[in-house]
Amino acid sequence: MHIPVKNIKIHPAKQTGGENYKPRDQIYVRKVTGFFQQLRQKMNFFFLAAFALLPWLQYNGHQAILFDIMEQRFTLWGLTLWPQDLTLLAWLFILSAFLLFFVTTFMGRVWCGYLCPQTVWTFIFIWFEEKIEGSANQRKKLDSQKMDFNKFWRKALKHFCWLAFSVLTALTFVGYFVPMQEVFVDFFTFNASFAAAASVWFFAFCTYGNAGWMREIMCLHMCPYARFQSAMFDKDTVTVSYDAKRGENRGARSRKQDPKKLGLGDCIDCNLCVQVCPTGIDIRNGLQYECINCGACVDACNGVMEKMNYAKGLIRYTTEHELQGKKVHLVRSKLIGYAVVLVIMTSLLVVEIANRVPVSLDIIRDRNALARENINGEVENVYTLKILNKSQTDNVYRLSVKGIPNARWIGDREVTVKAADVYTLPISIAVDPYELSEFITDISFVVEQISTDSDVKLEHQSRFFNKR
């Protein structure tokens, strides 16, 4: 079979030394008001306040939320998690991931636009810019000017505010892992440990760099969520979209002119949707992975439509099927699948928490001698019991052993273990050799909480060795 080949002459683009690489243009985000921006600001304020206040809350005399890595103890209100309970944290992370998948399939990338810390802190830093340097046009003009006193003090004050807010952010974040009152007092009195101080300055530097300088770079080039979100999108996913059928052709006109007579659509090509976008994209070019669904372009366009006496919604939250005039399926198999998985995983998490025993027992045998004969002629095994009280109250526990008849317990039988503490108890088990029929006998240590309103009981397997 003969395939005809056609030669195509390619004209290479002219290149000059200065055009081989073009750094990113700085984005001067223009301020916009509207329903979605008010919603975003209120949500940002609520979660920012929660982030700042939660580490300060006390519960039963201790910090309500504390992920104490040094002590290997995570406290969540009335629940204390230890390394043995990390499966619960794994369940929480997996559940959060599937919840994010569910929301993304339904509402697109709204997490990025409304709740992502990178977006929240970026808008906070932009707020400092607006208050100190002025509007987007004023900031752009200021940056183009030579350094003078006016520019110097404004830039200095802006970066000081950025750094101060970054340090407060870092202190609050570190306060989730180190007792909050301790880290605040020690940091400002220069008594903080090297690890604590280094952590604060590291996270302050990251906050200052990410929200102050990198901004959209984090969203466009470093965030993995932007890369795999398309796997969750479908034609019924609600995203910020431009109605091209209604908006094209674009063109400027006065409010008194009829766009139909001019052969124009509703878009007046004002570019406000680009100027207010924190990632600097033009939503009119179609759905792009850089869009974070913050709704800034929606509010900006609705404001223009209102001034032009046109119907709002040229740019709006909608679906691809709706733009095509097709039926929208809000309830669909993918959403149902995610919902079913969420219900199952939530149920399993609740069951695991409900069945969690708030005490743990580790048994360490004496390695020097498996068994020995005491002065009474009994076979004696030595053990070290480590009793971990996972609850947040002091408890008394009764200890016993079963598996060998008439076994004699040498040591304390009742111990008091403080809240979220480990009690180490050395004990011995002595048995008449006539009670032992084998060299190794399986036994069980039993821990029971002595309380009128609790039936906590734990059994832990071990072995008893006979003398050869």
Side-chain angles (χ1 to χ4, degrees), residues 225-365:
Y225 181 51
R227 304 298 177 178
F228 66 76
Q229 63 172 340
S230 59
M232 293 168 275
F233 279 25
D234 55 38
K235 294 186 177 181
D236 290 308
T237 299
V238 179
T239 59
V240 173
S241 302
Y242 167 68
D243 192 343
K245 292 181 179 179
R246 175 185 158 187
E248 302 298 322
N249 293 312
R250 311 174 196 170
R253 82 296 300 267
S254 68
R255 281 185 290 181
K256 296 180 179 180
Q257 291 179 300
D258 186 356
K260 294 182 179 179
K261 293 182 179 179
L262 300 174
L264 300 174
D266 284 354
C267 179
I268 66 173
D269 205 18
C270 62
N271 279 333
L272 275 180
C273 55
V274 181
Q275 297 174 26
V276 301
C277 179
T279 58
I281 65 170
D282 189 343
I283 195 64
R284 295 172 296 180
N285 294 333
L287 181 63
Q288 299 152 69
Y289 79 89
E290 298 92 340
C291 177
I292 61 173
N293 264 24
C294 66
C297 56
V298 177
D299 286 330
C301 186
N302 283 342
V304 173
M305 294 295 102
E306 188 175 9
K307 292 178 181 178
M308 296 296 296
N309 294 322
Y310 298 162
K312 296 180 180 180
L314 178 60
I315 300 176
R316 62 185 184 273
Y317 284 95
T318 185
T319 67
E320 186 176 345
H321 274 160
E322 183 182 357
L323 290 176
Q324 295 173 353
K326 299 180 180 179
K327 183 179 179 181
V328 177
H329 302 86
L330 294 179
V331 180
R332 48 199 187 276
S333 58
K334 186 184 292 187
L335 276 180
I336 294 174
Y338 282 134
V340 170
V341 172
L342 282 172
V343 171
I344 293 175
M345 296 181 66
T346 303
S347 302
L348 292 174
L349 177 62
V350 172
V351 170
E352 186 165 353
I353 293 177
N355 294 331
R356 174 177 176 268
V357 180
V359 63
S360 177
L361 175 65
D362 289 333
I363 303 171
I364 303 174
R365 290 187 50 85

Side-chain angles (χ1 to χ4, degrees), residues 43 71 97 104 118 123-124 127 204 217 233 249 307 336 342 388 392 452 464:
M43 293 180 67
E71 296 292 335
T104 302
Q118 175 66 23
F123 276 112
I124 292 174
W127 180 84
I217 292 179
F233 279 25
N249 293 312
K307 292 178 181 178
I336 294 174
L342 282 172
L388 170 60
Q392 297 179 359
T452 57
F464 188 91

Side-chain angles (χ1 to χ4, degrees), residues 118-129:
Q118 175 66 23
T119 303
V120 174
W121 263 255
T122 295
F123 276 112
I124 292 174
F125 276 42
I126 292 174
W127 180 84
F128 281 116
E129 283 186 336

Side-chain angles (χ1 to χ4, degrees), residues 26-282:
Q26 182 174 347
I27 298 176
Y28 297 89
V29 181
R30 183 168 178 167
K31 184 178 180 180
V32 61
T33 58
F35 172 78
F36 293 107
Q37 297 317 292
Q38 291 179 358
L39 176 63
R40 178 187 59 77
Q41 290 170 4
K42 291 178 181 178
M43 293 180 67
N44 290 173
F45 178 81
F46 174 79
F47 286 102
L48 182 63
F51 166 76
L53 295 177
L54 282 177
W56 292 99
L57 298 181
Q58 298 290 310
Y59 184 81
N60 283 342
H62 58 79
Q63 189 168 318
I65 299 178
L66 179 61
F67 305 103
D68 196 336
I69 298 177
M70 298 301 295
E71 296 292 335
Q72 299 183 352
R73 180 175 64 202
F74 292 176
T75 302
L76 299 170
W77 301 98
L79 180 67
T80 300
L81 301 179
W82 297 82
Q84 300 91 326
D85 302 313
L86 287 182
T87 53
L88 292 175
L89 289 178
W91 278 114
L92 285 174
F93 289 140
I94 296 173
L95 184 63
S96 300
F98 273 93
L99 180 61
L100 180 62
F101 299 159
F102 177 83
V103 173
T104 302
T105 302
F106 182 60
M107 287 292 295
R109 204 174 168 184
V110 291
W111 158 261
C112 296
Y114 289 85
L115 295 177
C116 176
Q118 175 66 23
T119 303
V120 174
W121 263 255
T122 295
F123 276 112
I124 292 174
F125 276 42
I126 292 174
W127 180 84
F128 281 116
E129 283 186 336
E130 292 173 346
K131 296 300 179 182
I132 298 172
E133 297 182 353
S135 65
N137 290 332
Q138 291 173 328
R139 298 197 301 271
K140 189 173 183 180
K141 183 179 179 180
L142 184 67
D143 286 345
S144 64
Q145 295 175 355
K146 293 182 178 180
M147 183 61 69
D148 56 12
F149 178 75
N150 178 63
K151 182 175 181 178
F152 174 79
W153 80 262
R154 291 182 185 275
K155 291 292 183 182
L157 180 59
K158 179 186 74 173
H159 287 284
F160 173 79
C161 293
W162 284 3
L163 284 170
F165 194 81
S166 298
V167 170
L168 288 176
T169 298
L171 280 169
T172 303
F173 182 76
V174 173
Y176 280 90
F177 302 91
V178 180
M180 175 61 83
Q181 296 180 359
E182 175 183 319
V183 70
F184 254 83
V185 173
D186 290 349
F187 183 81
F188 288 108
T189 57
F190 303 101
N191 292 320
S193 65
F194 174 80
S199 299
V200 171
W201 286 114
F202 172 77
F203 288 113
F205 173 78
C206 291
T207 304
Y208 174 77
N210 290 347
W213 293 95
M214 301 186 71
R215 294 187 178 178
E216 77 282 354
I217 292 179
M218 296 293 297
C219 303
L220 304 185
H221 305 295
M222 302 182 69
C223 178
Y225 181 51
R227 304 298 177 178
F228 66 76
Q229 63 172 340
S230 59
M232 293 168 275
F233 279 25
D234 55 38
K235 294 186 177 181
D236 290 308
T237 299
V238 179
T239 59
V240 173
S241 302
Y242 167 68
D243 192 343
K245 292 181 179 179
R246 175 185 158 187
E248 302 298 322
N249 293 312
R250 311 174 196 170
R253 82 296 300 267
S254 68
R255 281 185 290 181
K256 296 180 179 180
Q257 291 179 300
D258 186 356
K260 294 182 179 179
K261 293 182 179 179
L262 300 174
L264 300 174
D266 284 354
C267 179
I268 66 173
D269 205 18
C270 62
N271 279 333
L272 275 180
C273 55
V274 181
Q275 297 174 26
V276 301
C277 179
T279 58
I281 65 170
D282 189 343

